[in-house]
Amino acid sequence: MTTKITTLLKFFQQFGEVIVEADGEVAVSVLNVGSCGSYLALPQNTFENEYYVTSWTPTTGSANIALVILCTQVGQLSISFTGDSTQSIFYGDGFEIPANKKNQVVSCAQNVNVHVFQTDADISGTKIVSATPVAVLVADKSLTIGPSTIADFTVSQFPPTKSYGKEFVVPPIPVDGSQYFIKIVTTKAGTVTVSGDTTYTATRGGEVFTIDVDDNRAVHILGSSELLVVQYSK
């Protein structure tokens, strides 16, 4: 196995960038020693050209959410940010993108190129389109679950739109008394039916519906077109 380690931008330095190459098949997971948060890294042959993302609804703070895009080939990225129109987005080492300029195009100038965008806004529904395959991750810097004053750092690598589906069953959290919510992102105009009794209508791709599940039950989701479905514990 061969590894190559370089350094990411400030916000992501605690993780670093690690490229793993192996003669045989391997599984790779990333663990944050400080918070014990972890995620499963998807292999490079699953990288694709189009993504939507969600994020935990942030608390007031300093750049609590980061969108991280890893390029493996030279090309261009188009990013359509959603979220609070009053919140700026910071790129790289501090370049500020004004709140009213949410559509951005950036270049991947080399084969391994990392772009980091930071904001306090909820970026759920943000769309990424790339000329070449990329990996897309979202990091929540100060995520607090339940009545706690302790914040954790979490990272999720998102699947591409190519892998989305129309029907999902979201399981309950296996802890008594837990509550959770679901974020659903549409890819087209259409309908989303939750547990057979509530229907939401989307007028476009990238529309976000948030479903609160305070009784910690299993939820069935059926879309008229492909969806991104993400579960968050409260």
Side-chain angles (χ1 to χ4, degrees):
M1 179 182 296
T2 303
T3 61
K4 174 187 174 184
I5 301 177
T6 58
T7 302
L8 280 176
L9 299 173
K10 287 181 181 178
F11 188 81
F12 229 55
Q13 280 180 343
Q14 59 186 297
F15 286 93
E17 171 199 333
V18 180
I19 299 174
V20 179
E21 298 175 354
D23 296 331
E25 294 182 352
V26 296
V28 179
S29 60
V30 180
L31 175 68
N32 181 351
V33 177
S35 70
C36 294
S38 66
Y39 75 94
L40 183 68
L42 303 179
Q44 189 170 329
N45 61 8
T46 65
F47 295 2
E48 290 289 346
N49 303 71
E50 183 179 79
Y51 294 80
Y52 284 99
V53 297
T54 62
S55 62
W56 178 273
T57 303
T59 56
T60 302
S62 176
N64 280 328
I65 290 175
L67 172 66
V68 182
I69 303 172
L70 170 64
C71 305
T72 57
Q73 300 176 37
V74 175
Q76 279 196 325
L77 293 167
S78 173
I79 305 163
S80 300
F81 284 99
T82 59
D84 186 348
S85 61
T86 66
Q87 294 284 354
S88 294
I89 297 167
F90 296 90
Y91 173 57
D93 282 324
F95 174 74
E96 183 174 1
I97 300 170
N100 61 347
K101 294 184 178 180
K102 294 299 181 72
N103 295 323
Q104 294 292 315
V105 176
V106 296
S107 296
C108 296
Q110 54 193 22
N111 285 343
V112 179
N113 210 174
V114 178
H115 299 280
V116 180
F117 299 86
Q118 306 170 53
T119 183
D120 282 331
D122 183 357
I123 60 172
S124 298
T126 291
K127 185 178 184 180
I128 298 98
V129 178
S130 174
T132 59
V134 295
V136 174
L137 303 92
V138 173
D140 287 276
K141 181 181 178 184
S142 301
L143 187 151
T144 300
I145 296 174
S148 172
T149 58
I150 299 174
D152 258 342
F153 188 105
T154 64
V155 182
S156 299
Q157 183 170 350
F158 276 76
T161 57
K162 187 176 180 179
S163 68
Y164 293 0
K166 296 181 180 180
E167 187 171 15
F168 299 81
V169 175
V170 181
I173 295 173
V175 177
D176 291 342
S178 294
Q179 298 177 333
Y180 69 90
F181 63 96
I182 303 166
K183 288 195 175 182
I184 302 170
V185 184
T186 63
T187 55
K188 298 177 183 177
T191 59
V192 179
T193 302
V194 178
S195 294
D197 55 13
T198 305
T199 299
Y200 301 85
T201 300
T203 59
R204 57 177 175 80
E207 198 157 342
V208 181
F209 300 107
T210 301
I211 314 299
D212 286 300
V213 187
D214 291 337
D215 57 359
N216 197 29
R217 70 186 188 280
V219 173
H220 177 256
I221 297 169
L222 182 64
S224 59
S225 59
E226 286 72 17
L227 307 169
L228 171 65
V229 176
V230 183
Q231 181 187 43
Y232 292 96
S233 176
K234 287 189 176 182

